[in-house]
Amino acid sequence: QVQLVESGGGLVQAGGSLRLSCAASGRTFSNAAMGWFRRVPGKERDFVAAISWSIGSTNYADSVKGRFTISRDNAKKTVYLQMNSLKPEDTAVYYCASRPSGYYSGSYYPNDYAYWGQGTQVTVSS
């Protein structure tokens, strides 16, 4: 079992930066890929970024490439999302997610993730 708690959301002006953190509890954190997703009201949960377990290979949605960076610290059981050059369209609730233990590669699909945090609101003003 893995429990995930996001933090770091807030209100920021366009062009600004935020760093989201996702702290995990449970012994399977280091054996699974992690991802970040976001959702705006009335829409499906969208993929943002993912990172593999061991070599740290990453994947990004086209809309955030070059602006967002996902990273992880397995010793601290924490995954991060550094968000730079934020735009109003980045406004959403951001969720971190963990794949099941033993699934080492990231995925674009929410259904491939077994554990989810409660979400943290990011609001970007114009």
Side-chain angles (χ1 to χ4, degrees):
Q1 187 75 12
V2 176
Q3 293 182 326
L4 305 172
V5 179
E6 302 98 334
S7 61
L11 173 64
V12 64
Q13 288 188 333
S17 298
L18 283 174
R19 187 194 196 202
L20 304 184
S21 298
C22 174
S25 61
R27 59 185 174 87
T28 59
F29 174 82
S30 294
N31 295 329
M34 301 289 294
W36 285 96
F37 290 77
R38 64 188 182 188
R39 180 160 61 189
V40 298
K43 290 192 174 183
E44 296 291 323
R45 197 170 296 192
D46 288 333
F47 171 78
V48 175
I51 187 166
S52 67
W53 163 56
S54 59
I55 62 174
S57 63
T58 57
N59 303 92
Y60 296 94
D62 288 343
S63 59
V64 306
K65 278 181 183 176
R67 299 188 298 122
F68 291 11
T69 302
I70 187 172
S71 61
R72 67 189 294 165
D73 185 332
N74 287 342
K76 295 182 178 179
K77 292 187 175 182
T78 302
V79 63
Y80 304 96
L81 186 68
Q82 178 68 43
M83 305 186 295
N84 298 329
S85 303
L86 282 161
K87 304 175 181 180
E89 51 263 44
D90 294 318
T91 295
V93 177
Y94 283 71
Y95 299 88
C96 77
S98 173
R99 297 201 71 189
S101 178
Y103 286 79
Y104 303 139
S105 297
S107 170
Y108 295 90
Y109 305 105
N111 288 345
D112 288 343
Y113 292 80
Y115 307 102
W116 292 84
Q118 82 289 350
T120 185
Q121 176 70 47
V122 171
T123 303
V124 184
S125 63
S126 57

